[in-house]
Amino acid sequence: MDFKGYVLVIDDSVTNQVLVEALLGEEGIKVETVSNAIDAYRLIDKEPPSLILLDLLMPNVTGIDFLKTIKQNDRVNTIPIFIVTAANTEFYRNQCEELGVKDFFPKPVDIPLLVKRVKEVLLDGA
């Protein structure tokens, strides 16, 4: 199968991982899922994704800490990142904006909008 892009999902909720993987897989998009930042670093190092979907509220390394680390790495700091989180506060939104996040999706996620935006970024770089 010829994939339209490669999306890395970093979320400690297996339910969310499975949901996003199924939805994007239907669109012909390759999806890798991990439940923590440590595994994510390993995967990104091996094969940088076209897009990252990141949860903020995770154990050990938070989404914000992960963002800061990624943004300091010249090899991967241009990968677009969407936040998909229940932490829908002005504080988190501002931090994410400062760290150059491309889009912010509060949970429960507007699924059609998320799929549309993922496709836009993968196909058009929008």
Side-chain angles (χ1 to χ4, degrees):
M1 184 174 189
D2 195 21
F3 289 109
K4 296 174 185 159
Y6 159 40
V7 175
L8 175 60
V9 177
I10 309 166
D11 195 325
D12 58 335
S13 160
V14 174
T15 308
N16 289 342
Q17 289 180 11
V18 170
L19 175 70
V20 172
E21 191 169 18
L23 291 164
L24 297 180
E26 283 175 15
E27 301 291 334
I29 297 165
K30 177 184 170 187
V31 179
E32 289 284 339
T33 61
V34 294
S35 53
N36 61 67
I38 307 306
D39 290 344
Y41 294 132
R42 225 174 279 131
L43 268 180
I44 291 167
D45 203 40
K46 202 169 64 182
E47 182 190 357
S50 319
L51 173 66
I52 294 172
L53 301 184
L54 175 66
D55 185 18
L56 293 180
L57 304 177
M58 293 185 296
N60 303 324
V61 181
T62 67
I64 295 292
D65 292 337
F66 173 83
L67 268 173
K68 288 177 179 169
T69 303
I70 286 295
K71 291 302 178 184
Q72 290 167 2
N73 182 332
D74 289 342
R75 199 172 138 249
V76 294
N77 64 8
T78 58
I79 297 171
I81 298 176
F82 287 3
I83 300 300
V84 181
T85 188
N88 184 22
T89 65
E90 197 174 328
F91 172 76
Y92 281 119
R93 280 182 175 268
N94 289 342
Q95 273 197 303
C96 291
E97 204 173 294
E98 284 168 25
L99 289 164
V101 164
K102 188 117 176 127
D103 222 328
F104 192 104
F105 292 91
K107 291 178 183 174
V109 174
D110 178 337
I111 299 292
L113 180 63
L114 177 65
V115 171
K116 176 178 175 272
R117 288 290 296 130
V118 166
K119 286 166 62 178
E120 285 171 2
V121 166
L122 294 182
L123 302 175
D124 313 325

